[in-house]
Amino acid sequence: MPPIEIEKAIEKANQQLIDQAVAVFNNPALRDFIIDIRKKLDQIIDVVNIDEVTNIGWVKDQEEAATNTIADFRLWIESHKDEITALQIFYAQDYRHRTFTYKMIKDLSEKLKTENHY
């Protein structure tokens, strides 16, 4: 057998081995199963938005702290109910008619940060 024919036979056998090895992945049900498992188990690590520690320590009276947080938030909601109503009206509009800019979001974020830590 000439070397060219031997090489072709090796290539053909190699291709058959590759085809046999990947044949299991030609099953659409298996591919869907793998995708579903990956969706459930994959973790996305956010390296752009790094978390910052804002408070360290134990809360001595968790119930009182929780009550205070709820009371503070309730007061904040009460004092900003007009703005909340405006946001509800804004979001009730058809999407095409909304004009919401980055500056508006930034201003709201800064206001929330300066007034309270919500």
PDB file of all heavy atoms in Angstrom, residues 57-81:
ATOM      1  N   GLY A  57     -20.016  44.687  62.011  1.00  0.00           N
ATOM      2  CA  GLY A  57     -20.344  44.486  63.417  1.00  0.00           C
ATOM      3  C   GLY A  57     -21.671  43.787  63.604  1.00  0.00           C
ATOM      4  O   GLY A  57     -22.408  43.522  62.663  1.00  0.00           O
ATOM      5  N   TRP A  58     -21.928  43.504  64.860  1.00  0.00           N
ATOM      6  CA  TRP A  58     -23.160  42.825  65.222  1.00  0.00           C
ATOM      7  C   TRP A  58     -24.207  43.849  65.605  1.00  0.00           C
ATOM      8  O   TRP A  58     -23.914  44.901  66.144  1.00  0.00           O
ATOM      9  CB  TRP A  58     -22.921  41.903  66.422  1.00  0.00           C
ATOM     10  CG  TRP A  58     -22.016  40.768  66.116  1.00  0.00           C
ATOM     11  CD1 TRP A  58     -20.683  40.702  66.322  1.00  0.00           C
ATOM     12  CD2 TRP A  58     -22.382  39.536  65.517  1.00  0.00           C
ATOM     13  NE1 TRP A  58     -20.177  39.509  65.900  1.00  0.00           N
ATOM     14  CE2 TRP A  58     -21.216  38.759  65.395  1.00  0.00           C
ATOM     15  CE3 TRP A  58     -23.580  38.994  65.067  1.00  0.00           C
ATOM     16  CZ2 TRP A  58     -21.208  37.489  64.849  1.00  0.00           C
ATOM     17  CZ3 TRP A  58     -23.568  37.728  64.530  1.00  0.00           C
ATOM     18  CH2 TRP A  58     -22.405  36.998  64.426  1.00  0.00           C
ATOM     19  N   VAL A  59     -25.450  43.514  65.360  1.00  0.00           N
ATOM     20  CA  VAL A  59     -26.563  44.331  65.814  1.00  0.00           C
ATOM     21  C   VAL A  59     -27.015  43.744  67.144  1.00  0.00           C
ATOM     22  O   VAL A  59     -27.398  42.582  67.213  1.00  0.00           O
ATOM     23  CB  VAL A  59     -27.713  44.330  64.783  1.00  0.00           C
ATOM     24  CG1 VAL A  59     -28.888  45.124  65.291  1.00  0.00           C
ATOM     25  CG2 VAL A  59     -27.228  44.865  63.442  1.00  0.00           C
ATOM     26  N   LYS A  60     -26.940  44.569  68.192  1.00  0.00           N
ATOM     27  CA  LYS A  60     -27.268  44.053  69.523  1.00  0.00           C
ATOM     28  C   LYS A  60     -28.734  43.665  69.627  1.00  0.00           C
ATOM     29  O   LYS A  60     -29.071  42.607  70.115  1.00  0.00           O
ATOM     30  CB  LYS A  60     -26.904  45.086  70.586  1.00  0.00           C
ATOM     31  CG  LYS A  60     -25.416  45.272  70.726  1.00  0.00           C
ATOM     32  CD  LYS A  60     -25.076  46.251  71.804  1.00  0.00           C
ATOM     33  CE  LYS A  60     -23.552  46.418  71.872  1.00  0.00           C
ATOM     34  NZ  LYS A  60     -23.153  47.379  72.853  1.00  0.00           N
ATOM     35  N   ASP A  61     -29.593  44.562  69.178  1.00  0.00           N
ATOM     36  CA  ASP A  61     -31.027  44.266  69.236  1.00  0.00           C
ATOM     37  C   ASP A  61     -31.571  44.280  67.811  1.00  0.00           C
ATOM     38  O   ASP A  61     -31.937  45.332  67.291  1.00  0.00           O
ATOM     39  CB  ASP A  61     -31.757  45.285  70.116  1.00  0.00           C
ATOM     40  CG  ASP A  61     -33.211  44.926  70.334  1.00  0.00           C
ATOM     41  OD1 ASP A  61     -33.649  43.858  69.849  1.00  0.00           O
ATOM     42  OD2 ASP A  61     -33.923  45.714  70.985  1.00  0.00           O
ATOM     43  N   GLN A  62     -31.600  43.119  67.181  1.00  0.00           N
ATOM     44  CA  GLN A  62     -32.003  43.026  65.782  1.00  0.00           C
ATOM     45  C   GLN A  62     -33.441  43.477  65.563  1.00  0.00           C
ATOM     46  O   GLN A  62     -33.750  44.126  64.574  1.00  0.00           O
ATOM     47  CB  GLN A  62     -31.832  41.593  65.281  1.00  0.00           C
ATOM     48  CG  GLN A  62     -30.400  41.170  65.188  1.00  0.00           C
ATOM     49  CD  GLN A  62     -30.256  39.750  64.674  1.00  0.00           C
ATOM     50  OE1 GLN A  62     -31.245  39.069  64.400  1.00  0.00           O
ATOM     51  NE2 GLN A  62     -29.023  39.309  64.533  1.00  0.00           N
ATOM     52  N   GLU A  63     -34.301  43.134  66.500  1.00  0.00           N
ATOM     53  CA  GLU A  63     -35.715  43.494  66.339  1.00  0.00           C
ATOM     54  C   GLU A  63     -35.890  45.009  66.365  1.00  0.00           C
ATOM     55  O   GLU A  63     -36.613  45.578  65.551  1.00  0.00           O
ATOM     56  CB  GLU A  63     -36.542  42.835  67.446  1.00  0.00           C
ATOM     57  CG  GLU A  63     -38.040  42.899  67.179  1.00  0.00           C
ATOM     58  CD  GLU A  63     -38.821  42.036  68.151  1.00  0.00           C
ATOM     59  OE1 GLU A  63     -38.352  40.938  68.484  1.00  0.00           O
ATOM     60  OE2 GLU A  63     -39.894  42.489  68.554  1.00  0.00           O
ATOM     61  N   GLU A  64     -35.214  45.671  67.293  1.00  0.00           N
ATOM     62  CA  GLU A  64     -35.313  47.130  67.372  1.00  0.00           C
ATOM     63  C   GLU A  64     -34.700  47.783  66.138  1.00  0.00           C
ATOM     64  O   GLU A  64     -35.256  48.737  65.589  1.00  0.00           O
ATOM     65  CB  GLU A  64     -34.593  47.638  68.628  1.00  0.00           C
ATOM     66  CG  GLU A  64     -34.692  49.141  68.802  1.00  0.00           C
ATOM     67  CD  GLU A  64     -33.950  49.635  70.038  1.00  0.00           C
ATOM     68  OE1 GLU A  64     -33.696  48.830  70.944  1.00  0.00           O
ATOM     69  OE2 GLU A  64     -33.631  50.830  70.061  1.00  0.00           O
ATOM     70  N   ALA A  65     -33.567  47.256  65.679  1.00  0.00           N
ATOM     71  CA  ALA A  65     -32.931  47.798  64.481  1.00  0.00           C
ATOM     72  C   ALA A  65     -33.845  47.639  63.265  1.00  0.00           C
ATOM     73  O   ALA A  65     -33.965  48.555  62.445  1.00  0.00           O
ATOM     74  CB  ALA A  65     -31.594  47.107  64.236  1.00  0.00           C
ATOM     75  N   ALA A  66     -34.475  46.486  63.152  1.00  0.00           N
ATOM     76  CA  ALA A  66     -35.398  46.252  62.032  1.00  0.00           C
ATOM     77  C   ALA A  66     -36.594  47.191  62.124  1.00  0.00           C
ATOM     78  O   ALA A  66     -37.025  47.767  61.122  1.00  0.00           O
ATOM     79  CB  ALA A  66     -35.859  44.800  62.025  1.00  0.00           C
ATOM     80  N   THR A  67     -37.122  47.380  63.335  1.00  0.00           N
ATOM     81  CA  THR A  67     -38.258  48.288  63.528  1.00  0.00           C
ATOM     82  C   THR A  67     -37.869  49.708  63.153  1.00  0.00           C
ATOM     83  O   THR A  67     -38.642  50.422  62.500  1.00  0.00           O
ATOM     84  CB  THR A  67     -38.743  48.222  64.996  1.00  0.00           C
ATOM     85  OG1 THR A  67     -39.090  46.874  65.293  1.00  0.00           O
ATOM     86  CG2 THR A  67     -39.942  49.107  65.216  1.00  0.00           C
ATOM     87  N   ASN A  68     -36.660  50.119  63.561  1.00  0.00           N
ATOM     88  CA  ASN A  68     -36.195  51.466  63.216  1.00  0.00           C
ATOM     89  C   ASN A  68     -36.021  51.642  61.715  1.00  0.00           C
ATOM     90  O   ASN A  68     -36.384  52.682  61.160  1.00  0.00           O
ATOM     91  CB  ASN A  68     -34.875  51.777  63.930  1.00  0.00           C
ATOM     92  CG  ASN A  68     -35.067  51.989  65.408  1.00  0.00           C
ATOM     93  OD1 ASN A  68     -36.162  52.274  65.877  1.00  0.00           O
ATOM     94  ND2 ASN A  68     -33.990  51.835  66.165  1.00  0.00           N
ATOM     95  N   THR A  69     -35.475  50.630  61.062  1.00  0.00           N
ATOM     96  CA  THR A  69     -35.299  50.701  59.615  1.00  0.00           C
ATOM     97  C   THR A  69     -36.643  50.821  58.919  1.00  0.00           C
ATOM     98  O   THR A  69     -36.809  51.631  58.000  1.00  0.00           O
ATOM     99  CB  THR A  69     -34.546  49.454  59.098  1.00  0.00           C
ATOM    100  OG1 THR A  69     -33.281  49.388  59.743  1.00  0.00           O
ATOM    101  CG2 THR A  69     -34.356  49.497  57.600  1.00  0.00           C
ATOM    102  N   ILE A  70     -37.607  50.050  59.357  1.00  0.00           N
ATOM    103  CA  ILE A  70     -38.950  50.100  58.764  1.00  0.00           C
ATOM    104  C   ILE A  70     -39.578  51.459  59.011  1.00  0.00           C
ATOM    105  O   ILE A  70     -40.176  52.059  58.099  1.00  0.00           O
ATOM    106  CB  ILE A  70     -39.837  48.958  59.320  1.00  0.00           C
ATOM    107  CG1 ILE A  70     -39.307  47.614  58.814  1.00  0.00           C
ATOM    108  CG2 ILE A  70     -41.292  49.156  58.934  1.00  0.00           C
ATOM    109  CD1 ILE A  70     -39.914  46.411  59.507  1.00  0.00           C
ATOM    110  N   ALA A  71     -39.436  51.980  60.230  1.00  0.00           N
ATOM    111  CA  ALA A  71     -40.007  53.294  60.551  1.00  0.00           C
ATOM    112  C   ALA A  71     -39.348  54.384  59.712  1.00  0.00           C
ATOM    113  O   ALA A  71     -40.041  55.271  59.175  1.00  0.00           O
ATOM    114  CB  ALA A  71     -39.839  53.584  62.045  1.00  0.00           C
ATOM    115  N   ASP A  72     -38.015  54.330  59.576  1.00  0.00           N
ATOM    116  CA  ASP A  72     -37.317  55.320  58.743  1.00  0.00           C
ATOM    117  C   ASP A  72     -37.782  55.256  57.301  1.00  0.00           C
ATOM    118  O   ASP A  72     -38.021  56.291  56.656  1.00  0.00           O
ATOM    119  CB  ASP A  72     -35.800  55.078  58.787  1.00  0.00           C
ATOM    120  CG  ASP A  72     -35.178  55.465  60.113  1.00  0.00           C
ATOM    121  OD1 ASP A  72     -35.856  56.143  60.912  1.00  0.00           O
ATOM    122  OD2 ASP A  72     -34.015  55.068  60.337  1.00  0.00           O
ATOM    123  N   PHE A  73     -37.904  54.029  56.786  1.00  0.00           N
ATOM    124  CA  PHE A  73     -38.346  53.872  55.398  1.00  0.00           C
ATOM    125  C   PHE A  73     -39.781  54.348  55.229  1.00  0.00           C
ATOM    126  O   PHE A  73     -40.107  54.998  54.240  1.00  0.00           O
ATOM    127  CB  PHE A  73     -38.196  52.419  54.954  1.00  0.00           C
ATOM    128  CG  PHE A  73     -38.408  52.223  53.483  1.00  0.00           C
ATOM    129  CD1 PHE A  73     -37.536  52.784  52.572  1.00  0.00           C
ATOM    130  CD2 PHE A  73     -39.473  51.479  53.007  1.00  0.00           C
ATOM    131  CE1 PHE A  73     -37.715  52.621  51.215  1.00  0.00           C
ATOM    132  CE2 PHE A  73     -39.673  51.304  51.656  1.00  0.00           C
ATOM    133  CZ  PHE A  73     -38.788  51.872  50.744  1.00  0.00           C
ATOM    134  N   ARG A  74     -40.635  54.067  56.206  1.00  0.00           N
ATOM    135  CA  ARG A  74     -42.024  54.518  56.160  1.00  0.00           C
ATOM    136  C   ARG A  74     -42.081  56.046  56.119  1.00  0.00           C
ATOM    137  O   ARG A  74     -42.836  56.634  55.340  1.00  0.00           O
ATOM    138  CB  ARG A  74     -42.792  53.968  57.360  1.00  0.00           C
ATOM    139  CG  ARG A  74     -44.289  54.261  57.282  1.00  0.00           C
ATOM    140  CD  ARG A  74     -45.044  53.574  58.394  1.00  0.00           C
ATOM    141  NE  ARG A  74     -45.201  52.164  58.022  1.00  0.00           N
ATOM    142  CZ  ARG A  74     -45.027  51.143  58.855  1.00  0.00           C
ATOM    143  NH1 ARG A  74     -44.701  51.344  60.108  1.00  0.00           N
ATOM    144  NH2 ARG A  74     -45.200  49.914  58.437  1.00  0.00           N
ATOM    145  N   LEU A  75     -41.271  56.710  56.953  1.00  0.00           N
ATOM    146  CA  LEU A  75     -41.215  58.177  56.948  1.00  0.00           C
ATOM    147  C   LEU A  75     -40.710  58.702  55.604  1.00  0.00           C
ATOM    148  O   LEU A  75     -41.224  59.696  55.074  1.00  0.00           O
ATOM    149  CB  LEU A  75     -40.312  58.690  58.083  1.00  0.00           C
ATOM    150  CG  LEU A  75     -40.884  58.601  59.483  1.00  0.00           C
ATOM    151  CD1 LEU A  75     -39.811  58.943  60.521  1.00  0.00           C
ATOM    152  CD2 LEU A  75     -42.076  59.538  59.631  1.00  0.00           C
ATOM    153  N   TRP A  76     -39.689  58.017  55.071  1.00  0.00           N
ATOM    154  CA  TRP A  76     -39.156  58.444  53.778  1.00  0.00           C
ATOM    155  C   TRP A  76     -40.210  58.321  52.687  1.00  0.00           C
ATOM    156  O   TRP A  76     -40.375  59.219  51.869  1.00  0.00           O
ATOM    157  CB  TRP A  76     -37.927  57.602  53.431  1.00  0.00           C
ATOM    158  CG  TRP A  76     -37.233  58.079  52.196  1.00  0.00           C
ATOM    159  CD1 TRP A  76     -36.281  59.042  52.100  1.00  0.00           C
ATOM    160  CD2 TRP A  76     -37.489  57.624  50.864  1.00  0.00           C
ATOM    161  NE1 TRP A  76     -35.914  59.207  50.797  1.00  0.00           N
ATOM    162  CE2 TRP A  76     -36.636  58.353  50.009  1.00  0.00           C
ATOM    163  CE3 TRP A  76     -38.335  56.680  50.305  1.00  0.00           C
ATOM    164  CZ2 TRP A  76     -36.616  58.165  48.639  1.00  0.00           C
ATOM    165  CZ3 TRP A  76     -38.319  56.491  48.947  1.00  0.00           C
ATOM    166  CH2 TRP A  76     -37.464  57.234  48.126  1.00  0.00           C
ATOM    167  N   ILE A  77     -40.917  57.213  52.688  1.00  0.00           N
ATOM    168  CA  ILE A  77     -41.994  57.004  51.696  1.00  0.00           C
ATOM    169  C   ILE A  77     -43.060  58.093  51.851  1.00  0.00           C
ATOM    170  O   ILE A  77     -43.527  58.676  50.862  1.00  0.00           O
ATOM    171  CB  ILE A  77     -42.638  55.600  51.867  1.00  0.00           C
ATOM    172  CG1 ILE A  77     -41.663  54.511  51.474  1.00  0.00           C
ATOM    173  CG2 ILE A  77     -43.944  55.474  51.097  1.00  0.00           C
ATOM    174  CD1 ILE A  77     -41.411  54.385  49.995  1.00  0.00           C
ATOM    175  N   GLU A  78     -43.454  58.375  53.091  1.00  0.00           N
ATOM    176  CA  GLU A  78     -44.484  59.385  53.344  1.00  0.00           C
ATOM    177  C   GLU A  78     -44.030  60.761  52.859  1.00  0.00           C
ATOM    178  O   GLU A  78     -44.809  61.497  52.257  1.00  0.00           O
ATOM    179  CB  GLU A  78     -44.818  59.426  54.843  1.00  0.00           C
ATOM    180  CG  GLU A  78     -45.971  60.326  55.191  1.00  0.00           C
ATOM    181  CD  GLU A  78     -47.289  59.932  54.528  1.00  0.00           C
ATOM    182  OE1 GLU A  78     -47.545  58.725  54.366  1.00  0.00           O
ATOM    183  OE2 GLU A  78     -48.069  60.847  54.160  1.00  0.00           O
ATOM    184  N   SER A  79     -42.787  61.102  53.108  1.00  0.00           N
ATOM    185  CA  SER A  79     -42.310  62.430  52.714  1.00  0.00           C
ATOM    186  C   SER A  79     -42.052  62.539  51.214  1.00  0.00           C
ATOM    187  O   SER A  79     -41.931  63.638  50.691  1.00  0.00           O
ATOM    188  CB  SER A  79     -41.048  62.807  53.496  1.00  0.00           C
ATOM    189  OG  SER A  79     -39.995  61.948  53.159  1.00  0.00           O
ATOM    190  N   HIS A  80     -41.978  61.415  50.513  1.00  0.00           N
ATOM    191  CA  HIS A  80     -41.726  61.441  49.070  1.00  0.00           C
ATOM    192  C   HIS A  80     -42.875  60.846  48.257  1.00  0.00           C
ATOM    193  O   HIS A  80     -42.679  60.454  47.111  1.00  0.00           O
ATOM    194  CB  HIS A  80     -40.430  60.675  48.765  1.00  0.00           C
ATOM    195  CG  HIS A  80     -39.218  61.340  49.302  1.00  0.00           C
ATOM    196  ND1 HIS A  80     -38.776  61.138  50.574  1.00  0.00           N
ATOM    197  CD2 HIS A  80     -38.369  62.231  48.742  1.00  0.00           C
ATOM    198  CE1 HIS A  80     -37.704  61.856  50.779  1.00  0.00           C
ATOM    199  NE2 HIS A  80     -37.432  62.541  49.694  1.00  0.00           N
ATOM    200  N   LYS A  81     -44.064  60.811  48.830  1.00  0.00           N
ATOM    201  CA  LYS A  81     -45.165  60.156  48.120  1.00  0.00           C
ATOM    202  C   LYS A  81     -45.534  60.864  46.816  1.00  0.00           C
ATOM    203  O   LYS A  81     -45.942  60.213  45.866  1.00  0.00           O
ATOM    204  CB  LYS A  81     -46.379  60.004  49.032  1.00  0.00           C
ATOM    205  CG  LYS A  81     -47.017  61.278  49.495  1.00  0.00           C
ATOM    206  CD  LYS A  81     -48.171  60.981  50.424  1.00  0.00           C
ATOM    207  CE  LYS A  81     -48.712  62.286  51.007  1.00  0.00           C
ATOM    208  NZ  LYS A  81     -49.722  62.011  52.002  1.00  0.00           N
TER     209      LYS A  81
END
